[in-house]
Amino acid sequence: QAQLVESGGGWLQPGGSLRLSCAASISGFRSNDMAWYRQVPGKQRELVATINSLGDTNYAHSVKGRFIISRDNNMNTVYLQMSSLKPEDTAVYYCNTQPVLTINGYKYWGQGTQVTVSS
């Protein structure tokens, strides 16, 4: 059964850094494009960064130059290194495949990890 487990979130002050991890139990991990998303209550989930099976990356304009997505195919893990964090980065962060993993016709999401940036 597919499973995505995000970790590494926390509270920190503006300007700080944090690394998120996502353990992905999915078939054929290394051939999947992966992504990090984030969601603020009351708003739609936002695509933050993607990494394809070749390691090519793309970023939302709001995080470009501050976030780095990477993957370890031996560990079935995706990372998001976040630096120069801003209060507007506060959100629940989720990893998923790109496009989003669908199981029995329903989009599957892990529990996410909360990141709070505040002074």
Side-chain angles (χ1 to χ4, degrees), residues 1-80:
Q1 184 174 352
Q3 190 174 28
L4 299 166
V5 180
E6 301 90 347
S7 62
W11 177 87
L12 66 165
Q13 294 186 333
S17 298
L18 204 60
R19 189 176 84 155
L20 306 183
S21 299
C22 170
S25 299
I26 57 175
S27 176
F29 172 82
R30 63 179 62 241
S31 64
N32 275 282
D33 296 351
M34 299 297 297
W36 282 96
Y37 302 77
R38 66 186 181 187
Q39 188 169 27
V40 175
K43 293 189 176 182
Q44 286 195 337
R45 211 171 317 233
E46 173 191 17
L47 179 63
V48 174
T50 63
I51 183 166
N52 68 13
S53 59
L54 300 177
D56 300 321
T57 59
N58 277 292
Y59 300 91
H61 178 74
S62 58
V63 307
K64 205 166 189 177
R66 300 187 297 121
F67 290 11
I68 299 173
I69 186 172
S70 61
R71 65 191 296 165
D72 184 336
N73 288 334
N74 292 322
M75 298 294 291
N76 281 21
T77 301
V78 185
Y79 302 99
L80 187 68

